[in-house]
Structure formats: structure tokens, C-alpha cells
Amino acid sequence: MSREELQIQLKQLLQGDTNAITIEKKDFMIFREIWINHEEKESIIGEALHNGNVIYRYSSNLKSGREILGK
């Protein structure tokens, strides 16, 4: 999957157009770079599946570690 396609999937997840996205092992490093640099990364939660795939869900209710610690 291309970087642009992964960005579109993430955007759909954040907008609520989908409940979850599944990232295949072969696309993980590209997606990880997108995720690491995203301002809402603390709210994008990944769950490891079999064979190196990861399912990501979005939760706008999560607080970052800094918010929890009051920093």
C-alpha cells in the first residue's frame, strides 16, 4: 500500500468514517512513520494481530501522559 493510501485510511479513522483500520506487516514501517508524526498519536491505539498485522482504533477520550501528569 502506498503512503498516500495509508494516510487516507488514517484520516478516515480519525473522522469516524471507519471504526478500525488493519495494517499489514509489509506496510507497518510506512504507517509507523505516519503515526509517530501525527499530533493525535496518543489517541490512535494499535493492537497486534497474528502474522505481524496490527489493527488500529481511534479514541478521542484518551489523554496523553503529559495531560495525566499535569505537565
Side-chain angles (χ1 to χ4, degrees), residues 11-48:
K11 183 177 180 180
Q12 290 172 338
L13 178 65
L14 296 174
Q15 291 176 337
D17 296 336
T18 185
N19 293 328
I21 57 175
T22 301
I23 304 301
E24 295 181 9
K25 181 180 180 177
K26 65 181 178 62
D27 299 319
F28 176 76
M29 292 308 290
I30 297 169
F31 183 82
R32 182 184 179 280
E33 183 181 332
I34 296 167
W35 173 78
I36 278 291
N37 292 308
H38 199 280
E39 62 188 26
E40 291 191 65
K41 69 180 177 189
E42 288 88 4
S43 298
I44 305 165
I45 307 304
E47 177 185 348

